[in-house]
């Protein structure tokens, strides 16, 4: 693998950065929050992103996609991360969309992916319960056999973009024990299914999420992607790939937060000089810069590893863990330092830097924090 | 068969034919191996034979031009040569600061006569070089150096002291920064000068370190005569040359400490932790996470070096990477050495003698030695200043 952008990727990156600068500065996210927007994102902008070809990047051409990889998708998401754009890339493209695409279920793909690629359909993945923490194999939804299908009961938390989704993919235990990969099934459930209740949740980062209650929701065995009991490995691999996308968003956010901080250091005066002249701050800024340079490398490497045909799953998992552990600590550290260097105004809602600190935390605690990934790295290494 | 495949086959055959069998698998690299020089005593005849044959072929300096004795290889060919040497267990025929520091600097800034004079002797391992940069009063503030070179027409008379001159007691020539214009601004009165260590007035005293070894020396110059024909680039323009050379040195330090294949830390830990099994989780959860954390950061660093190399291969301008690599590479090595101490526990406390394995004694000394990594070659603090100023544009 080569850790360098191709000309095409450079072009996508430039288009995306320009787009974010003009159309999606952080002020837009602030306005969505302040207005209490019921969707929490812009459908018009999402449609534009679809028209630019971004939403369909990882999907097959037959469904309207571009059949490209994470190497391309990550440069777009990195740019959007600079403006904290709340559009549903994570839920619809990286999680539910990729899960459909990778399931090989042609009928389900044909039903949902063309709408996704066109920017019309929103999808969400419901896989976590209150006690799941970061274990993808411990859902709080149980599937009980009923006739030739199943009935789903239980709860899923923080379902990203669940409140606007046209369909949910629900992870449920059909057999086996919690924590095991086998016995997990992934059912596609349309939003109007009987017994499904979706309530929007409010999070610290303002990102869209929903609490999903399932009360005897009827599904058929044919609705199970990768077959009944066979969803575990597919779910884990999809979360790993989505984690790479999330890391790209974090990389964009940490760069923007750092640039805002540098600007502040060059303009804010105290003791009759700009605070950027103080060596105590300079050295910390240099450290943050190093963290960003390392983050660029690990995200790029993980995306390329995921795109390699026949990638060794263990090696890909290592790449993902390195990227998520590093980006989690870097984004949190950079935004903590940013608020500290902004001083009192950094604590005000009026300044944007607080949004990045909140988003850094939310991203850190999604798909496993640094401690979780170190533990996983050690386990993958056999110690 | 492509040209590179042909080169690979040819190289492999040549290595098998020419590297004495007794040296295969001997290892080496970093600071271990044949340094050459007038005072060099080969440990055995094969070492000398291998140096001579490799030098004849240009393989001691594979990418240098053939007219100065180098191999004239492209980067791709040099990479194949390195791979083949690793695969066969062939040790480097020659190491040292001639190859890694003054050689590349002469290629960049030396005159044709200077290249012809010095580079072939480096390639053949005849002359060993040392570096005269720091002084007792000029460490991080290197440009504050005071060693005086007084103009006497066709030569200078040099007086002063250089410190931290690595292996000066073994070296034949020194590349030194001297002050030729004491009135100019401090960066502008410095000249980059080559001096033969056998010149009358040069004396060397080794410095004993906390690790018990003495790789560094203090080197004194008393009325030492140095010809002006040994000025590199231009008089008073030595700072430019010095910075270029520091770039080579920082890359070398970072590469030396950045990685390499070694026995895994987890396997070492199993040998010391009570209750450890051959393949289960390590019983000390804190140590386990520290090992994972170190390995993951080391990988992130390795990927960053790769990203920089890939960008250079694609013809992009290098950024401030060499300063980043020095900080991260050296701090990672210190973390690694501390982890090794924690893994060995009380067995890491040995200094010499009974009750400690050789590897344990080495762990103790290597840890002490590693504390210097963030000081030598530009302290981490100076590196951070450089990043803040040059990359981030923060004001003075």
């Amino acid at each position: 693998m080569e850790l360098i952008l191709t000309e095409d990727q450079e072009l996508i990156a430039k288009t995306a950065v320009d787009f974010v600068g003009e159309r999606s500065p952080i002020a837009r996210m602030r306005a969505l929050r302040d207005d209490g927007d019921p969707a929490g994102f812009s459908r018009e902008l999402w449609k534009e992103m679809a028209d630019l070809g971004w939403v369909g990047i990882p999907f097959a051409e037959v469904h309207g996609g571009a059949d490209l990889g994470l190497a391309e998708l990550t440069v777009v998401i990195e740019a959007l991360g600079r403006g904290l754009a709340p559009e549903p890339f994570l839920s619809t493209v990286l999680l539910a969309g990729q899960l459909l695409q990778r399931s090989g279920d042609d009928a389900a793909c044909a039903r949902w992916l063309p709408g996704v690629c066109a920017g019309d359909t929103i999808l969400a993945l419901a896989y976590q319960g209150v006690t799941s923490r970061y274990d993808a194999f411990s859902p709080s939804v149980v599937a009980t056999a009923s006739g030739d299908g199943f009935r789903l009961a239980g709860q899923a938390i923080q379902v990203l973009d669940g409140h606007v989704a046209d369909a949910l993919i629900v992870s449920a235990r059909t057999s086996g024990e919690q924590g095991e990969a086998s016995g997990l099934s992934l059912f596609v459930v349309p939003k109007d299914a009987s017994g499904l209740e979706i309530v929007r949740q409010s999070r610290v980062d303002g990102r869209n999420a929903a609490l999903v209650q399932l009360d005897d929701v009827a599904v058929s065995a044919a609705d199970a992607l990768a077959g009944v009991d066979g969803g575990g490995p597919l779910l884990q691999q999809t979360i790993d790939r989505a984690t790479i996308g999330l890391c790209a968003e974090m990389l964009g956010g940490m760069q923007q937060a750092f640039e805002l901080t540098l600007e502040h250091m060059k303009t804010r005066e105290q003791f009759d000089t700009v605070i950027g002249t103080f060596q105590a701050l300079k050295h910390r800024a240099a450290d943050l810069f190093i963290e960003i340079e390392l983050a660029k490398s690990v995200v790029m490497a993980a995306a390329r590893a995921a795109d390699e045909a026949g990638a060794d799953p263990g090696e890909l998992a290592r790449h993902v863990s390195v990227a998520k552990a590093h980006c989690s600590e870097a984004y949190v550290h950079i935004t903590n330092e940013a608020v500290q260097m902004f001083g009192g105004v950094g604590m005000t809602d009026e300044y944007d830097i607080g949004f990045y600190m909140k988003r850094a935390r939310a991203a850190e605690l999604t798909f496993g924090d640094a401690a979780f990934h170190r533990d996983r790295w050690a386990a993958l290494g056999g110690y | 068969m492509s040209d590179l495949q042909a080169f690979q086959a040819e190289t492999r055959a040549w290595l098998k034919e020419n590297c004495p069998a007794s040296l295969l698998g001997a290892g080496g690299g970093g600071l271990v191996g044949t340094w050459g020089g007038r005072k060099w005593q080969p440990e055995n005849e094969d070492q000398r034979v291998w140096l001579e044959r490799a030098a004849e072929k240009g393989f001691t300096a594979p990418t240098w031009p053939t007219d100065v004795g180098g191999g004239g290889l492209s980067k791709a060919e040099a990479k194949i040569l390195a791979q083949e040497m690793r695969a066969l267990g062939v040790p480097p025929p020659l190491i040292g600061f001639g190859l890694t520091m003054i050689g590349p600097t002469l290629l960049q800034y030396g005159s044709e006569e200077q290249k012809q004079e010095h580079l072939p002797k480096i390639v053949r391992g005849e002359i060993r070089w040392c570096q005269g940069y720091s002084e007792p009063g000029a460490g991080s503030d290197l440009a504050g150096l005071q060693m005086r070179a007084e103009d006497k027409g066709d030569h200078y008379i040099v007086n002063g002291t250089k410190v931290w001159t690595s292996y000066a007691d073994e070296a034949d020539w020194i590349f030194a920064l001297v002050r030729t214009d004491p009135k100019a601004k401090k960066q502008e009165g410095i000249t980059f000068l080559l001096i033969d260590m056998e010149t009358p007035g040069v004396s060397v005293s080794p410095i004993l370190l906390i690790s018990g070894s003495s790789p560094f020396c203090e080197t004194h110059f008393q009325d030492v005569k140095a010809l002006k024909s040994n000025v590199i680039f231009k008089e008073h323009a030595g700072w430019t040359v010095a910075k270029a050379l520091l770039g080579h040195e920082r890359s070398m330090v970072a590469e030396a400490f950045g990685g390499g294949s070694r026995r895994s830390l987890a396997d070492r830990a199993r040998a010391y932790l009570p209750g450890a099994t051959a393949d289960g989780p390590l019983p000390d959860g804190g140590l386990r996470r520290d090992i994972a954390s170190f390995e993951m950061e080391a990988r992130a660093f390795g990927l960053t070096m790769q990203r920089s190399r890939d960008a250079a291969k694609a013809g992009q301008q290098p950024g401030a990477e060499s300063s980043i690599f020095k900080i991260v590479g050296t701090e990672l090595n210190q973390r690694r050495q501390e982890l090794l101490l924690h893994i060995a526990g009380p067995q890491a406390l040995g200094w010499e003698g009974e009750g400690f394995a050789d590897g344990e004694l080495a762990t103790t000394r290597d840890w002490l030695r590693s504390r210097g990594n963030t000081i030598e070659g530009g302290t981490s603090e100076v590196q951070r200043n450089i990043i803040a100023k040059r990359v981030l544009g923060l004001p003075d």
Side-chain angles (χ1 to χ4, degrees):
Chain A
M1 96 171 96
E2 285 226 316
L3 297 184
I4 184 168
L5 293 184
T6 63
E7 272 180 38
D8 287 348
Q9 289 159 2
E10 293 263 18
L11 191 65
I12 297 171
K14 187 181 180 318
T15 311
V17 169
D18 290 348
F19 180 91
V20 169
E22 288 165 27
R23 308 293 313 281
S24 184
I26 184 122
R28 188 175 71 84
M29 180 250 167
R30 179 188 287 277
L32 286 166
R33 182 200 68 169
D34 291 348
D35 298 347
D37 187 279
F41 74 100
S42 162
R43 282 196 183 271
E44 294 72 34
L45 220 60
W46 183 242
K47 188 79 183 157
E48 273 187 55
M49 293 178 192
D51 291 343
L52 282 163
W54 295 348
V55 177
I57 283 177
F59 302 119
E61 287 178 21
V62 61
H63 301 307
D67 210 5
L68 294 170
L70 282 174
E72 286 76 20
L73 193 55
T74 47
V75 297
V76 170
I77 295 178
E78 179 185 333
L80 293 169
R82 284 180 166 270
L84 297 182
E87 276 61 37
F89 266 100
L90 202 49
S91 58
T92 302
V93 178
L94 286 160
L95 286 169
Q98 285 201 106
L99 211 144
L100 280 164
Q101 164 106 347
R102 299 178 65 76
S103 72
D105 188 325
D106 293 337
C109 287
R111 176 164 179 202
W112 297 107
L113 291 182
V116 167
C117 293
D120 297 328
T121 302
I122 307 296
L123 299 175
L125 175 65
Y127 74 104
Q128 294 172 289
V130 170
T131 56
S132 315
R133 206 170 159 82
Y134 305 123
D135 181 6
F137 303 143
S138 296
S140 298
V141 177
V142 176
T144 314
S146 163
D148 53 2
F150 293 89
R151 290 193 167 269
L152 305 181
Q155 186 187 58
I157 62 156
Q158 296 194 35
V159 177
L160 298 175
D161 301 306
H163 67 306
V164 287
D166 298 292
L168 303 177
I169 297 174
V170 177
S171 171
R173 185 148 292 285
T174 34
S175 69
E177 299 293 323
Q178 288 290 70
E180 290 177 2
S182 64
L184 215 64
S185 307
L186 303 164
F187 295 102
V188 184
V189 181
K191 67 172 176 187
D192 48 12
S194 169
L196 184 66
E197 192 194 353
I198 302 174
V199 182
R200 189 172 177 185
Q201 286 185 296
S202 173
R203 298 203 325 184
V204 65
D205 60 340
R207 202 55 72 93
N208 301 306
L211 191 64
V212 173
Q213 298 283 350
L214 300 104
D215 183 14
D216 260 358
V217 175
V219 290
S220 77
D223 295 328
L225 301 170
V228 171
D229 290 342
L234 174 62
L235 177 64
Q236 184 63 62
Q237 286 161 22
T238 304
I239 289 173
D240 268 5
R241 298 172 72 86
T243 304
I244 299 169
L246 177 62
C247 288
E249 188 221 296
M250 298 167 84
L251 174 60
M254 70 177 82
Q255 288 177 85
Q256 188 72 20
F258 183 58
E259 286 164 22
L260 288 172
T261 308
L262 276 182
E263 190 53 38
H264 183 74
M265 290 173 75
K266 291 173 189 174
T267 50
R268 167 72 174 166
E269 292 189 16
Q270 287 287 279
F271 307 105
D272 302 320
T273 181
V274 292
I275 61 173
T277 59
F278 302 146
Q279 198 177 43
L281 300 192
K282 280 183 180 174
H283 282 194
R284 282 152 69 183
D287 283 336
L288 304 183
F289 173 76
I290 290 170
E291 287 179 28
I292 289 170
E293 287 300 307
L294 295 175
K296 286 180 186 170
S297 317
V298 296
V299 172
M300 212 179 221
R304 276 152 187 69
D307 287 345
E308 274 174 14
D312 165 24
E315 186 55 17
L316 178 54
R318 279 190 197 93
H319 271 293
V320 170
S321 283
V322 167
K324 187 58 171 55
H326 182 80
C327 289
S328 293
E329 290 195 333
Y331 201 2
V332 166
H333 184 211
I334 287 164
T335 51
N336 280 349
E337 286 284 75
V339 168
Q340 179 71 25
M341 293 190 199
F342 267 86
V345 294
M347 293 296 292
T348 65
D349 188 69
E350 184 192 341
Y351 274 66
D352 292 332
I353 197 69
F355 282 120
Y356 290 92
M357 189 171 77
K358 291 172 179 172
R359 180 59 191 153
R361 243 354 135 169
E364 179 202 18
L365 302 180
T366 300
F367 307 145
D369 58 11
F372 172 85
H373 282 285
R374 284 183 189 131
D375 185 67
R376 190 170 89 145
W377 170 279
L380 286 163
Y383 66 92
Chain B
M1 196 189 282
S2 76
D3 288 354
L4 284 179
Q5 281 170 327
F7 175 79
Q8 181 174 21
E10 208 176 283
T11 302
R12 172 168 291 220
W14 188 90
L15 289 169
K16 281 184 176 165
E17 174 77 26
N18 287 281
C19 181
S22 72
L23 299 181
L24 295 180
L31 298 174
V32 180
T34 297
W35 287 78
R38 293 175 191 140
K39 298 173 194 160
W40 180 52
Q41 300 288 343
E43 285 166 34
N44 51 61
E45 180 62 11
D46 283 349
Q47 231 176 25
R48 194 187 54 74
V49 167
W50 174 224
L51 171 60
E52 277 177 13
R53 289 178 183 169
E56 179 66 24
K57 181 82 175 166
F59 279 1
T60 51
T63 59
W64 292 8
T66 49
D67 69 338
V68 294
L73 302 189
S74 68
K75 278 188 179 168
E77 289 169 334
K79 200 171 158 190
I80 289 174
L81 171 61
Q83 281 167 357
E84 288 301 315
M85 286 175 64
R86 259 201 310 278
L88 296 171
V90 172
L94 182 68
I95 60 170
F97 305 142
L99 292 173
T100 54
M101 294 204 267
I102 186 65
T105 307
L106 282 173
L107 283 170
Q108 193 178 352
Y109 284 105
S111 69
E112 201 46 45
E113 294 74 26
Q114 289 168 337
K115 289 183 203 176
Q116 292 300 337
E117 165 71 17
H118 295 290
L119 294 176
K121 292 177 188 164
I122 294 174
V123 168
R124 294 195 296 265
E126 291 168 7
I127 293 296
R128 179 170 176 171
W129 286 84
C130 66
Q131 179 184 39
Y133 268 32
S134 299
E135 295 179 8
S140 285
D141 182 14
L142 181 61
L145 59 94
Q146 297 297 328
M147 188 158 99
R148 184 82 174 92
E150 218 177 323
D151 194 331
K152 297 285 179 189
D154 68 339
H155 68 277
Y156 300 107
I157 293 297
V158 180
N159 278 289
T161 300
K162 290 291 175 186
V163 73
W164 309 120
T165 42
S166 308
Y167 308 109
D169 50 343
E170 310 276 344
D172 307 308
W173 276 71
I174 185 168
F175 49 94
L177 295 177
V178 296
R179 185 156 302 283
T180 39
D181 183 354
K183 295 198 191 89
K185 250 179 69 184
K186 60 182 184 177
Q187 278 90 351
E188 288 163 15
I190 295 171
T191 297
F192 193 103
L193 185 62
L194 311 181
I195 302 171
D196 188 332
M197 295 288 279
E198 285 181 355
T199 317
V202 179
S203 62
V204 175
S205 40
I207 302 168
L208 180 65
L209 295 187
I210 51 176
S211 60
S213 66
S214 306
F216 300 110
C217 300
E218 216 169 54
T219 305
H220 309 279
F221 296 79
Q222 192 177 4
D223 294 332
V224 172
K225 182 177 171 184
L227 292 176
K228 279 194 175 172
S229 58
N230 286 321
V231 169
I232 302 304
F233 196 38
K234 291 181 289 201
E235 193 177 47
H236 311 321
W239 192 245
T240 304
V241 186
K243 278 192 297 185
L245 189 140
L246 271 178
H248 296 301
E249 182 182 3
R250 280 169 195 156
S251 320
M252 184 188 76
V253 172
E255 296 269 355
F257 298 125
S261 67
R262 299 138 155 162
R263 185 173 161 217
S264 87
L265 293 165
D267 281 347
R268 286 172 193 252
R270 285 186 211 287
Y272 285 100
L273 292 176
T277 55
D279 51 7
L282 296 178
D284 181 336
L287 189 57
R288 174 175 181 266
R289 195 167 278 178
D290 286 347
I291 292 172
S293 172
F294 166 77
E295 289 178 343
M296 293 166 86
E297 284 294 304
R299 177 181 281 215
F301 177 57
L303 290 168
T304 305
M305 294 211 290
Q306 187 194 334
R307 181 161 68 83
S308 173
R309 279 196 302 272
D310 288 351
K313 263 189 272 172
Q316 295 175 12
Q317 286 293 317
E321 291 98 358
S322 83
S323 285
I324 291 169
F325 292 162
K326 169 70 169 59
I327 296 176
V328 182
T330 53
E331 291 180 0
L332 272 172
N333 188 52
Q334 291 180 339
R335 262 173 76 181
R336 181 183 154 80
Q337 298 303 336
E338 298 205 349
L339 257 179
L340 288 168
L341 288 188
H342 287 137
I343 286 170
Q347 285 301 107
L349 296 176
W351 187 249
E352 61 189 10
E354 300 278 303
F356 300 102
D358 287 349
E360 291 167 345
L361 293 171
T363 296
T364 315
R365 308 266 178 148
D366 290 347
W367 152 64
L368 288 164
R369 175 64 189 86
S370 75
R371 297 315 306 171
N373 298 160
T374 46
I375 302 169
E376 61 208 337
T379 64
S380 290
E381 287 72 19
V382 165
Q383 305 297 332
R384 285 181 170 84
N385 284 345
I386 291 172
I387 291 174
K389 181 174 177 160
R390 305 260 169 80
V391 185
L392 306 180
L394 290 170
D396 282 330

